[in-house]
Amino acid sequence: MYYLGIDIGSLSCDAVLIDENETVLASSVIPTGARNVEAIQKVKTHVLDMAGIQESELKAVISTGYGRNRVDKRLKAVTEITCHARGIKASLEGTGLLIDIGGQDSKAIKLDTDGKVKDFAMNDKCAAGTGRFLEAMARALQVPIEEMSELDHGATKNLTLSSMCTVFAESEVVSLIADGVETNEIVNGLNRAIASRTISLVKRVAPELSNESVAMSGGVAKNSGVIRALNQLMGKEIKVPEQPDTIGALGAALIALEKSK
Amino acid sequence: MMYQYFNDLAAGLQAKIDENPEKTNARKKYVREVAKLGSRLYSENQSIAWCGICVPFDLLNVMGVTSCFVEFVGALMATNEIADHSIVLAEQAGYASDTCAYHRSVTGAFLENILPVPDFVIGTSSPCTAGLTVMENMARVMKKDLFVLNVPQIPTDQNVRYLADQIRDLVSFISDHTGQALDKERLKEAVQKTNQTRSLLLEIYDYAAMVPSPVNSKLLRDFGIVLPLFFGTDGVIEVCKAYRDELKGTIDSKKSGIEDEKIRLMWIQNRIQFKTDIDNMLEEEFHANIVIDELNTINWGPIDPEDPYEGFARRIISLPIGTDIEHRMKHMKDLAEKYKIVGAINPCHWGCRQGTGSRGMIGKGMKEIGIPVLNLEVDCVDSRNFAPNQVRTRIEAFMEMLENQ
């Protein structure tokens, strides 16, 4: 029998399909778009087709993410905090602190030795410093979001940008472009703004980081520029799993397996 | 119109209570007292005072002054979903949208002239100076005299005497404005009633601490902060007896406040005043019960009826959100132990010094005794600043974490 985890975020809809041996058979990431029910069906069909199995062969589905309650025939809806914790335990054993930056929120999750959530903190009232923030900045810079990861190379000025508000930061970026500031300096400044905001969250759950193994999941973890900024400001290496954007869905699939036993 | 509303509400509740006094629940009696207060506030021929939270209301009740703290008005407006309009008015008048919405709503209300005009205003520097500035502004706009109680944070003997002297001055201030001298015999009787209320509250809170608790998440919400409005009256004794008997009945019949209580929680400071599904979600989805609110507490001793001023002062200084962080943390830790909670929820009310301002210290302090705290970034009065899905995710994750520990 097979177990499916679906993570319906504000930006992407991810699915991971596993068997009873916890082997990943298929995974998929698609944009959520305006209609998340359609995205759920699409991503589900996609992983089932990739693995060549029928929906009737699914023993359990666990949903997570902001659209978790929109998934039909689920065994349970579980929050992304719990699912990311479970997923990172399977991907990077020994992680003590997980940073997850998604489309509209960011989280610092402290894990115990069993990979269970010991404490967590989430972003406050606004979504600055999340995936949406990066999308808006890429638009302002007129560069594809995928290219943002490498655009900070060679930056030396350590610009300080406003990380308080996405709208203000976007306007600041436009001003910097108009002033002729190089793109790499601006991107580096943006990465440092995200990192600085993230570290505030991290410090809330783990004031002392020296003995912690720190990892990062979520779509923003694919941006190596942000990882570099985090490494630099935290003075610590942030580990990134192979597929950081499907860690939540993987955790959901593993919970589906555990809950079915 | 408001007089009629409160009067009808109080009369309707009284009729229902008279119809079946044995089966009347305590909540009805409590709401009746609130309605009676509302009715008096909007009556003519009443001496009225708008006040800060920790004014000695038993003293004012004895002196024939109908009084209420302004934050309660903000809370009632939010409960009845009419706060947003007043908040917008306050903002249009220049109040920053990131200041406390208890104060923005009441400011909008008095700027719009929907609050009864008081005879005088009594401000307190505790629990927050923002509240005091609202009182100052109210007195200025309504052209009324203002008396300010400067409340120290620490209950030293010297501080108690300092505040007690101010309360004596307050008596003179009230007498000057009402033309009525304080009747010392009536004050003595009122203080005896306050002491009786205190004993009843201790019984109520002891019952609430039992495992499983006879209370549910809603039963005693904001109880400890609202009830002092009625101190010194027969009404509050009747209300407390009703709650005490109701909880005892639940325990005697081997029932509990919620079915299959699994997770016991503390709520820090005040509740969210507009309608949310938080209580139901906690109880129905997680068998979690808010068994104690930070402000449902009696940490002041009986008051001497012969010389009540120092007793009043000690009671005022003991308000957990008015004291310094060491006293506040000790209080929370004591509650955590007594009520056997496994987690706490702190609604970090937007713009609030005690809520948002102290969340780091509260989180750290509770962590010392192994109690995790969920910080909710919410506005307890301005529903426009409430994101239900964001809040749900945080609460669900917190419950999952507690379930797994």
Side-chain angles (χ1 to χ4, degrees):
Chain A
M1 294 304 283
Y2 304 99
Y3 306 87
L4 180 64
I6 304 181
D7 181 356
I8 310 97
S10 61
L11 280 179
S12 71
C13 185
D14 324 320
V16 169
L17 182 72
I18 62 170
D19 63 16
E20 62 264 25
N21 299 315
E22 301 187 8
T23 306
V24 175
L25 304 177
S27 66
S28 177
V29 177
I30 63 169
T32 303
R35 294 176 181 81
N36 59 14
V37 174
E38 287 173 18
I40 292 162
Q41 192 51 48
K42 200 170 162 187
V43 81
K44 188 170 163 185
T45 307
H46 194 200
V47 288
L48 290 173
D49 288 350
M50 284 166 81
I53 67 164
Q54 302 296 313
E55 190 169 346
S56 57
E57 294 176 87
L58 286 177
K59 187 158 182 199
V61 178
I62 292 281
S63 57
T64 187
Y66 272 98
R68 61 188 176 278
N69 291 318
R70 306 296 299 269
V71 175
D72 282 340
K73 298 178 193 168
R74 64 181 186 272
L75 178 65
K76 202 173 179 215
V78 178
T79 64
E80 49 272 42
I81 291 91
T82 303
C83 287
H84 274 264
R86 183 65 190 86
I88 204 69
K89 182 179 184 289
S91 305
L92 289 173
E93 182 80 49
T95 298
L97 188 111
L98 176 65
I99 296 165
D100 164 36
I101 304 185
Q104 67 179 15
D105 59 30
S106 43
K107 313 159 195 87
I109 306 168
K110 180 117 171 62
L111 307 170
D112 67 12
T113 45
D114 295 327
K116 286 180 181 164
V117 178
K118 208 171 159 191
D119 197 1
F120 69 94
M122 293 179 74
N123 57 320
D124 296 343
K125 293 179 178 77
C126 99
T130 64
R132 288 272 184 212
F133 176 85
L134 275 176
E135 268 195 356
M137 298 311 123
R139 262 201 318 274
L141 284 162
Q142 297 182 319
V143 297
I145 182 91
E146 300 77 21
E147 289 178 16
M148 287 272 282
S149 350
E150 302 303 328
L151 289 179
D152 60 319
H153 286 302
T156 55
K157 291 180 185 160
N158 285 344
L159 282 183
T160 302
L161 276 93
S162 163
S163 60
M164 191 179 78
C165 166
T166 304
V167 177
F168 291 166
E170 190 171 350
S171 142
E172 200 175 347
V173 165
V174 171
S175 299
L176 289 167
I177 296 168
D179 289 344
V181 177
E182 296 293 328
T183 301
N184 62 343
E185 299 291 357
I186 299 173
V187 172
N188 184 44
L190 289 168
N191 292 343
R192 289 170 60 81
I194 292 173
S196 163
R197 203 176 173 92
T198 305
I199 290 167
S200 298
L201 276 186
V202 166
K203 290 283 184 183
R204 280 193 219 163
V205 297
E208 284 301 322
L209 279 172
S210 49
N211 296 321
E212 299 286 4
S213 173
V214 184
M216 182 163 164
S217 61
V220 175
K222 290 170 89 173
N223 184 319
S224 52
V226 172
I227 301 291
R228 273 190 295 279
L230 275 167
N231 285 340
Q232 192 192 358
L233 290 181
M234 287 173 78
K236 199 161 182 72
E237 186 206 352
I238 314 290
K239 293 177 186 163
V240 179
E242 214 168 294
Q243 285 188 288
D245 46 352
T246 58
I247 290 297
L250 172 64
L254 290 166
I255 293 169
L257 170 61
E258 285 154 12
K259 294 234 178 258
S260 305
K261 281 179 181 167
Chain B
M1 187 181 81
M2 293 304 287
Y3 169 76
Q4 201 58 47
Y5 167 76
F6 282 118
N7 208 37
D8 290 351
L9 179 61
L13 285 165
Q14 189 59 54
K16 278 188 184 160
I17 292 166
D18 292 342
E19 219 172 80
N20 202 344
E22 297 305 311
K23 290 198 171 169
T24 298
N25 67 32
R27 180 87 190 162
K28 256 193 197 102
K29 292 184 176 176
Y30 174 60
V31 177
R32 178 200 59 192
E33 289 307 302
V34 173
K36 279 163 66 180
L37 172 63
S39 157
R40 286 200 308 275
L41 281 168
Y42 281 93
S43 299
E44 290 174 10
N45 309 320
Q46 289 274 328
S47 287
I48 294 193
W50 288 115
C51 301
I53 289 174
C54 57
V55 159
F57 290 101
D58 23 18
L59 177 66
L60 273 73
N61 287 331
V62 164
M63 297 188 76
V65 179
T66 297
S67 51
C68 183
F69 59 89
V70 290
E71 288 81 357
F72 186 50
V73 175
L76 282 178
M77 289 170 74
T79 305
N80 291 294
E81 298 176 349
I82 54 170
D84 291 358
H85 172 70
S86 295
I87 289 168
V88 168
L89 284 179
E91 288 172 8
Q92 287 171 355
Y95 288 83
S97 59
D98 53 3
T99 53
C100 170
Y102 282 102
H103 298 137
R104 271 183 289 145
S105 57
V106 82
T107 297
F110 76 71
L111 290 176
E112 200 184 6
N113 296 319
I114 60 171
L115 284 188
V117 176
D119 293 280
F120 47 89
V121 178
I122 306 169
T124 55
S125 62
S126 171
C128 80
T129 44
L132 180 55
T133 59
V134 170
M135 313 303 298
E136 286 169 350
N137 195 30
M138 183 184 245
R140 186 181 59 80
V141 170
M142 292 180 166
K143 298 185 173 52
K144 297 296 171 186
D145 288 340
L146 169 73
F147 186 96
V148 177
L149 282 173
N150 185 21
V151 182
Q153 281 193 306
I154 319 248
T156 61
D157 289 346
Q158 191 183 5
N159 282 343
V160 167
R161 284 195 300 273
Y162 169 65
L163 183 55
D165 282 345
Q166 293 179 62
I167 298 170
R168 289 187 186 94
D169 291 343
L170 174 64
V171 171
S172 305
F173 173 85
I174 294 170
S175 291
D176 288 348
H177 286 79
T178 60
Q180 303 284 321
L182 173 65
D183 180 333
K184 288 185 181 162
E185 278 309 306
R186 283 195 63 209
L187 177 61
K188 205 157 110 181
E189 281 170 27
V191 172
Q192 281 161 346
K193 285 174 189 168
T194 293
N195 287 337
Q196 194 184 345
T197 305
R198 177 185 173 277
S199 300
L200 287 163
L201 284 170
L202 285 171
E203 281 187 80
I204 289 169
Y205 296 148
D206 282 347
Y207 284 140
M210 293 181 82
V211 181
S213 177
V215 305
N216 60 32
S217 299
K218 304 172 197 76
L219 193 70
L220 298 180
R221 53 177 295 152
D222 294 329
F223 198 63
I225 199 79
V226 175
L227 224 58
L229 285 170
F230 312 109
F231 276 0
T233 67
D234 291 323
V236 75
I237 293 173
E238 189 188 349
V239 168
C240 287
K241 278 183 179 167
Y243 273 100
R244 191 262 323 262
D245 294 346
E246 199 169 299
L247 296 184
K248 187 172 182 308
T250 303
I251 293 163
D252 289 347
S253 58
K254 301 203 181 314
K255 290 181 181 161
S256 54
I258 70 165
E259 204 178 315
D260 193 18
E261 177 186 281
K262 286 182 180 158
I263 297 174
R264 292 166 68 88
L265 300 169
M266 173 161 69
W267 189 276
I268 293 171
Q269 212 175 327
N270 300 324
R271 300 293 187 95
I272 296 169
Q273 304 298 338
F274 46 85
K275 287 183 185 72
T276 73
D277 68 345
I278 291 175
D279 292 342
N280 290 339
M281 179 181 128
L282 288 171
E283 293 179 3
E284 289 163 17
E285 297 177 32
F286 299 98
H287 297 280
N289 195 6
I290 300 167
V291 294
I292 177 65
D293 289 52
E294 180 196 2
L295 303 180
N296 283 356
T297 185
I298 297 291
N299 43 13
W300 42 279
I303 297 172
D304 180 0
E306 301 294 338
D307 183 13
Y309 296 102
E310 291 198 2
F312 286 150
R314 283 194 190 280
R315 186 180 66 196
I316 291 172
I317 300 174
S318 77
L319 181 69
I321 52 172
T323 188
D324 65 335
I325 192 67
E326 282 79 19
H327 283 82
R328 189 176 179 194
M329 276 321 308
K330 184 184 178 311
H331 166 66
M332 277 195 220
K333 287 176 179 177
D334 289 347
L335 289 182
E337 191 184 346
K338 176 175 176 177
Y339 287 83
K340 297 181 176 61
I341 60 156
V342 295
I345 299 178
N346 186 8
C348 304
H349 175 57
W350 197 321
C352 177
R353 184 179 73 183
Q354 284 80 4
T356 301
S358 61
R359 73 175 189 187
M361 289 181 276
I362 290 173
K364 194 176 163 199
M366 295 301 275
K367 205 176 268 183
E368 286 167 6
I369 56 165
I371 302 293
V373 178
L374 173 68
N375 290 317
L376 291 179
E377 302 297 332
V378 294
D379 191 311
C380 293
V381 172
D382 188 349
S383 62
R384 301 168 309 161
N385 288 331
F386 184 78
N389 288 335
Q390 300 264 356
V391 169
R392 173 170 267 276
T393 293
R394 285 153 176 77
I395 292 177
E396 280 188 22
F398 191 61
M399 291 300 114
E400 288 167 4
M401 184 182 88
L402 294 176
E403 279 176 338
N404 286 328
Q405 281 178 357

